[in-house]
Amino acid sequence: MKVLVIGATGMVGTAVAGALEASHHVVKASRRGPVKVDLEDPSSLDALFDELPDLDAVVCCAASGPLVDLVSAADDEIAAGMQGKLLGQVALARRAVRRLRDGGSVTLTGGTFSAPLTGGSLGALINTGLEGFVRNAAGELPRNLRINLISPGWIKETLESMGMDPADGTPVSEVARAYVEAVEGTAQGRTIRP
């Protein structure tokens, strides 16, 4: 399969691209890579799909959201926080379903945390929105296309880099396997928590 991985320069994206390369032709895209795309710029999404015809799958690992204080954050700060991870991935999915080969798949990235996180209310809104979007979009897709959401919690290596206890994190290699299963499998409209 020809698989586009967006966010391929980050920790998760690098692991996902590497795991997919064992069996597929992988095109790596990011804000800073040789194939450029920015989820906050819809015209860059259009240009990307014009440049890359005949894709079988699109995987988005470029999906970070800010931690913001619910009480002090301004409305425009909340709106800006939703742009990339939520609205950018929706824009990506909408374009992908018009361009993918029949039977292709879209895999987006959400998030989940087992306990409330200070500054995490915007992230919870975004991640819940993505779950609802994927669940419902699955029923609207033509041509046997599939859409799923990977929703990792903390990544073990991220916790280590932050000087935190990595015991509550999932190894990035395990998270990457979940993306590969979403691309290669038959799941449809699911939120997958590795």
Side-chain angles (χ1 to χ4, degrees):
M1 283 192 280
K2 185 175 178 183
V3 182
L4 170 63
V5 176
I6 296 175
T9 57
M11 181 189 306
V12 173
T14 298
V16 170
L20 286 165
E21 284 176 324
S23 303
H24 306 286
H25 171 70
V26 175
V27 178
K28 301 173 189 174
S30 67
R31 285 185 189 152
R32 296 175 299 278
V35 178
K36 295 197 183 315
V37 68
D38 185 344
L39 291 178
E40 295 185 25
D41 178 4
S43 67
S44 79
L45 294 170
D46 294 329
L48 179 68
F49 283 106
D50 288 343
E51 182 182 332
L52 298 171
D54 303 322
L55 290 169
D56 296 292
V58 173
V59 175
C60 185
C61 301
S64 61
L67 294 176
V68 297
D69 181 70
L70 179 64
V71 176
S72 64
D75 289 341
D76 59 344
E77 197 176 351
I78 298 293
M82 294 179 66
Q83 186 58 46
K85 187 169 183 179
L86 177 62
L87 301 177
Q89 287 192 97
V90 169
L92 171 66
R94 292 181 57 240
R95 284 158 175 81
V97 299
R98 293 192 299 257
R99 301 288 191 83
L100 286 171
R101 290 182 182 171
D102 292 357
S105 71
V106 177
T107 306
L108 304 179
T109 295
T112 187
F113 299 100
S114 57
L117 175 67
T118 301
S121 56
L122 176 59
L125 170 67
I126 292 167
N127 293 328
T128 302
L130 284 167
E131 287 186 28
F133 171 74
V134 165
R135 182 175 48 253
N136 287 280
E140 298 179 37
L141 298 184
R143 303 180 293 108
N144 295 316
L145 295 173
R146 297 180 303 107
I147 186 168
N148 293 290
L149 180 72
I150 305 298
S151 187
W154 285 108
I155 307 294
K156 177 183 175 196
E157 292 81 356
T158 300
L159 291 172
E160 287 172 345
S161 72
M162 295 169 61
M164 298 171 68
D165 182 4
D168 291 331
T170 304
V172 72
S173 60
E174 190 175 319
V175 172
R177 277 195 299 276
Y179 284 89
V180 172
E181 289 172 15
V183 169
E184 296 177 342
T186 60
Q188 170 66 307
R190 289 195 45 222
T191 295
I192 301 163
R193 293 180 172 85

